[in-house]
């Protein structure tokens, strides 16, 4: 059974703080993804990674960076948190034997509030 | 650019009724996924459809894929309250590497 875990379920930070969201998967998946989900806007891809130290921008990368130093761990970094980054953040991982996009497995989510 | 559209976006139905959620997509693909999300929770995989004509069933839900029409359907039979959730379809756009493109989600409410 694939397990994707995220470091916090709920997080409250102040404007301007540096915020780290951690995601760990235990299925040796190559791909990992960070999304944010806001009411009425669906899931929006922030960044994804298809290998260690590799990353690609998604649709809304501004204000975020990522780090993938180990295959099982993918971190999302908010360099200077702002109130418009208050959201639900979802991490996902997937297998990647080729170019096809395989089923993604999601973590439980982190609800971040920036005050 | 791949676009994925679901309809309806909001669906309120009575227990015992049948209904279908539609997922249309704009470019060729033969890999489509359905997810369920309960309020305040994350996404849970429901169905994986990997070829034209694929049909999968689980309990009161049945999903199908018509790649020629670029359409997937999620059919609900004799709805029960426990099916209340938001349902997302997601499509492999093939040209976008390992990314999936998600629909907007259909928020289903089943009333007693």
């Amino acid at each position: 059974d694939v397990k994707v875990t995220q470091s916090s379920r709920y997080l409250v930070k102040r404007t301007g703080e540096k915020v780290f969201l951690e995601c760990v998967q235990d299925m040796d998946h190559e791909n990992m993804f960070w999304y944010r989900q806001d009411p009425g806007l669906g899931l929006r891809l922030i960044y994804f990674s298809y290998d260690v130290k590799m990353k690609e921008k998604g649709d809304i990368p501004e204000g975020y960076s990522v780090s993938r130093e180990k295959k099982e761990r993918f971190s999302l970094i908010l360099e200077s948190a702002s109130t418009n980054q208050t959201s639900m953040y979802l991490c996902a991982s997937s297998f990647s034997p080729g170019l096809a996009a395989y089923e993604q497995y999601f973590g439980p989510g982190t609800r971040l509030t920036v005050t | 650019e791949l676009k994925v559209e679901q309809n309806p976006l909001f669906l309120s139905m009575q227990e015992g009724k049948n209904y279908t959620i539609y997922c249309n997509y704009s470019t060729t693909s033969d890999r489509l996924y359905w997810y369920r999300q309960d309020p305040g929770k994350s996404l849970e995989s429901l169905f994986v459809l990997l070829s034209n004509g694929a049909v999968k069933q689980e309990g009161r839900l049945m999903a199908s894929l018509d790649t020629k029409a670029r359409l997937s359907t999620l059919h609900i039979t004799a709805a029960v309250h426990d099916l209340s959730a938001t349902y997302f379809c997601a499509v492999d756009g093939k040209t976008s590497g390992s990314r999936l493109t998600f629909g907007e989600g259909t928020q289903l409410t089943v009333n007693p």
Side-chain angles (χ1 to χ4, degrees):
Chain A
D1 227 18
V2 178
K3 194 164 181 188
V4 181
T5 57
Q6 295 182 229
S7 49
S8 305
R9 293 299 304 276
Y10 300 94
L11 209 52
V12 180
K13 295 292 182 180
R14 293 191 182 276
T15 301
E17 278 193 81
K18 191 168 185 174
V19 181
F20 293 86
L21 303 183
E22 303 278 335
C23 176
V24 177
Q25 50 94 4
D26 67 357
M27 281 301 291
D28 203 34
H29 283 169
E30 292 83 1
N31 299 324
M32 295 188 76
F33 307 83
W34 276 107
Y35 296 90
R36 64 177 281 178
Q37 185 177 28
D38 301 287
L41 296 177
L43 268 74
R44 293 183 290 169
L45 181 65
I46 304 171
Y47 267 98
F48 67 102
S49 168
Y50 50 90
D51 202 351
V52 175
K53 296 192 187 295
M54 306 303 288
K55 62 186 179 186
E56 278 202 32
K57 292 180 181 179
D59 300 319
I60 52 162
E62 297 78 17
Y64 303 94
S65 62
V66 289
S67 171
R68 192 160 180 208
E69 296 296 319
K70 293 185 177 182
K71 191 174 184 180
E72 67 271 19
R73 189 179 297 269
F74 191 35
S75 301
L76 179 70
I77 303 154
L78 286 65
E79 296 290 342
S80 177
S82 64
T83 54
N84 64 13
Q85 292 178 309
T86 291
S87 186
M88 170 73 102
Y89 289 87
L90 296 170
C91 174
S93 72
S94 73
F95 186 47
S96 177
L99 293 177
Y102 279 69
E103 180 182 12
Q104 291 182 15
Y105 295 85
F106 284 81
T110 295
R111 187 165 292 282
L112 172 67
T113 303
V114 183
T115 62
Chain B
E1 182 192 341
L2 171 61
K3 292 198 184 304
V4 180
E5 292 183 350
Q6 289 182 232
N7 73 83
L9 298 183
F10 299 93
L11 176 56
S12 180
M13 55 191 298
Q14 282 190 304
E15 281 192 327
K17 299 291 188 184
N18 304 333
Y19 208 84
T20 300
I21 298 170
Y22 297 89
C23 174
N24 292 273
Y25 53 96
S26 60
T27 63
T28 302
S29 179
D30 55 8
R31 306 179 74 89
L32 189 140
Y33 307 89
W34 283 96
Y35 291 87
R36 169 183 171 141
Q37 185 178 37
D38 292 306
K41 301 285 181 66
S42 189
L43 276 73
E44 172 190 343
S45 181
L46 279 178
F47 297 112
V48 177
L49 303 169
L50 300 179
S51 61
N52 185 41
V55 177
K56 295 279 182 76
Q57 182 160 6
E58 178 80 31
R60 300 172 190 274
L61 299 177
M62 183 172 72
S64 65
L65 178 61
D66 181 343
T67 58
K68 292 179 180 160
R70 298 178 187 169
L71 171 68
S72 179
T73 59
L74 180 66
H75 186 73
I76 303 152
T77 301
V80 293
H81 180 68
D82 283 354
L83 290 179
S84 297
T86 299
Y87 294 86
F88 292 90
C89 62
V91 179
D92 173 10
K94 295 200 168 187
T95 57
S96 56
S98 300
R99 289 181 58 162
L100 291 176
T101 300
F102 285 81
E104 310 98 313
T106 296
Q107 188 176 315
L108 171 66
T109 303
V110 181
N111 302 303

